[in-house]
C-alpha cells in the first residue's frame, strides 16, 4: 500500500521513520514546506521518496496522510483535491473536520520507535487504517466521542509523563544524584513499573500494595502525593483538553 505523508514534521516524520523501520520505506512519499526537513528525513530513512510538491506526493498513493498543522489542513486539501479521487484520506490533525477526510487518527510521536498509542475513529475504512498504525505501535478503533479523550491520554499524554519524569529527576538531583544518573534512575523505575503491570496484569493500586509496608516509608511518600492532590491534578490535566 503506497502512503503519501503530507507534512513530515514532528508527527508525520515520526510516522515515516516508524514505518521505514517496519520495512515500508519503499511505499512512502513524504512532503514538507522546506527542503531542509526533507533532506533530514531522507537521510534518516533510506528508500523513502521526498518532494516539496504535495500534488506530486499524492500521485500514485493509495493512502494520503495529512500531518500538517491544523490551520493548514483546509488549504492543503484544496491544493491536492484534483489528485484525491479514489484515495483514502487520513488526518492526524487535532480538532479539524473536513468532508474530504475519510478517517481521523490520533497517533503519538513514539511511532518513530514502534511504540505509538494510536486511536482511529470508527469509520468505513477504519480497520484498514488501524492496520497501518499497528505497524508502529498499539492501536485502538474507538467511537468519535472517545477521540479527544484518547488524544489527551496518549497524544498529549507523552508530555504529561515527561513532566512526571522531570519531577522525579529533579527530586533525585536534590537528594544528591547527578542529573544524568537521576534521569536514568527515573526512567528505569518507570519502565520497571510498566513491565510489572504488563507481566502481572495487576491494577496499579494492587501493585502499590506490593511495595508498601504498613508503617513504612513508601506510604509516607504516597500520602505526600495525596496532600498535594496528585491524583486530582492528573485527572484535571487530562480533562483540560476536552471541549
Ligand atoms: N506533535 C505531536 O505529538 C502530534 C500528535 C498527534 C497529532 N499531531 C498533529 O500533527 C499535525 C502536525 O503537528 P506537528 O507537531 O508534527 O507539527 P510540525 O512539527 O510543525 O510539522 C508540520 C510539518 O508540516 C510541514 N508543512 C508546513 N506547511 C506545509 C504545506 N503547505 N505542505 C506540506 N507540508 C507542510 C512542515 O514543513 P517544514 O518542516 O519544512 O516547515 C512540517 O514538517 C498537527 O495537525 C497536530 O495536531 C501532532
Amino acid at each position: 500500500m503506497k502512503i503519501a505523508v503530507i507534512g513530515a514534521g514532528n508527527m508525520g516524520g515520526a510516522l515515516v521513520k516508524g514505518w521505514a523501520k517496519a520495512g515500508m520505506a519503499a511505499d512512502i512519499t513524504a512532503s514538507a514546506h522546506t527542503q531542509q526537513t526533507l533532506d533530514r528525513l531522507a537521510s534518516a530513512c533510506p528508500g523513502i521518496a521526498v518532494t516539496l510538491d504535495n500534488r506530486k506526493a499524492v500521485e500514485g498513493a493509495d493512502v494520503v496522510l495529512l500531518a500538517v498543522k491544523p490551520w493548514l489542513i483546509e488549504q492543503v486539501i484544496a491544493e491536492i483535491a484534483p489528485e484525491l479521487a479514489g484515495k483514502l484520506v487520513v488526518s492526524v490533525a487535532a480538532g479539524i473536520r473536513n468532508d474530504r477526510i475519510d478517517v481521523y487518527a490520533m497517533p503519538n510521536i513514539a511511532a518513530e520507535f514502534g511504540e505509538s498509542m494510536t486511536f482511529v475513529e470508527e469509520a468505513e475504512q477504519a480497520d484498514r487504517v488501524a492496520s497501518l498504525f499497528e505497524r508502529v505501535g498499539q492501536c485502538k478503533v474507538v467511537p468519535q466521542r472517545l477521540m479527544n479523550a484518547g488524544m489527551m491520554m496518549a497524544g498529549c499524554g507523552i508530555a504529561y509523563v515527561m513532566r512526571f519524569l522531570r519531577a522525579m529527576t529533579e527530586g533525585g538531583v536534590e537528594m544528591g544524584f547527578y542529573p544524568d544518573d537521576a534521569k536514568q534512575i527515573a526512567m528505569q523505575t518507570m519502565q520497571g513499573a510498566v513491565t510489572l503491570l504488563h507481566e502481572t496484569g495487576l491494577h496499579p493500586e494492587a501493585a502499590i500494595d506490593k511495595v508498601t509496608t504498613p508503617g513504612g516509608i513508601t506510604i509516607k511518600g504516597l500520602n505526600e502525593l495525596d496532600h498535594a492532590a496528585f491524583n486530582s491534578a492528573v485527572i484535571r490535566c487530562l480533562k483540560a483538553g476536552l471541549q
Side-chain angles (χ1 to χ4, degrees):
M1 202 186 315
K2 299 278 181 200
I3 308 170
V5 177
I6 308 298
N10 287 309
M11 190 62 252
L15 285 166
V16 170
K17 288 176 190 164
W19 281 325
K21 283 178 193 161
M24 297 162 63
D27 293 325
I28 293 171
T29 302
S31 77
H33 185 56
T34 62
Q35 189 61 42
Q36 199 188 10
T37 294
L38 294 180
D39 289 347
R40 249 186 282 127
L41 194 62
S43 72
C45 306
I48 66 163
V50 294
T51 173
L52 287 171
D53 183 336
N54 289 335
R55 286 180 67 162
K56 226 169 131 191
V58 169
E59 267 173 26
D62 304 298
V63 176
V64 176
L65 184 114
L66 303 174
V68 292
K69 288 290 191 193
W71 54 88
L72 291 176
I73 288 285
E74 208 165 307
Q75 170 194 321
V76 165
I77 288 179
E79 181 189 349
I80 61 179
E83 309 291 337
L84 287 183
K87 292 176 179 154
L88 178 58
V89 180
V90 181
S91 171
V92 301
I96 296 293
R97 301 244 144 204
N98 184 291
D99 285 348
R100 190 53 195 88
I101 296 169
D102 299 302
V103 179
Y104 295 91
M106 191 45 64
N108 71 31
I109 55 169
E112 178 174 349
F113 311 102
E115 290 284 358
S116 179
M117 178 67 242
T118 304
F119 296 86
V120 171
E121 185 174 316
E122 284 174 354
E124 206 173 301
Q125 307 229 47
D127 288 344
R128 192 170 158 212
V129 173
S131 72
L132 280 178
F133 284 105
E134 277 161 5
R135 303 292 298 267
V136 289
Q138 297 187 21
C139 182
K140 283 187 189 300
V141 177
V142 299
Q144 184 187 343
R145 70 181 172 81
L146 287 177
M147 285 299 285
N148 280 349
M151 177 180 68
M152 290 305 289
M153 283 191 78
C156 311
I158 292 245
Y160 309 144
V161 171
M162 292 299 168
R163 269 293 160 86
F164 177 79
L165 284 170
R166 182 184 93 172
M168 204 160 169
T169 301
E170 286 175 359
V173 173
E174 189 168 331
M175 293 187 295
F177 288 107
Y178 284 104
D180 283 351
D181 288 339
K183 187 182 98 179
Q184 182 218 335
I185 293 163
M187 284 166 58
Q188 177 57 27
T189 303
M190 178 166 285
Q191 201 149 310
V194 169
T195 301
L196 193 147
L197 293 188
H198 266 308
E199 294 294 323
T200 62
L202 284 173
H203 184 282
E205 213 49 38
I208 283 175
D209 283 347
K210 284 181 177 288
V211 288
T212 309
T213 306
I217 52 172
T218 306
I219 189 65
K220 288 187 175 26
L222 288 170
N223 285 341
E224 283 301 322
L225 285 177
D226 274 355
H227 289 313
F230 177 77
N231 242 42
S232 169
V234 172
I235 293 166
R236 287 181 66 160
C237 153
L238 292 174
K239 288 171 67 181
L242 299 184
Q243 276 103 31

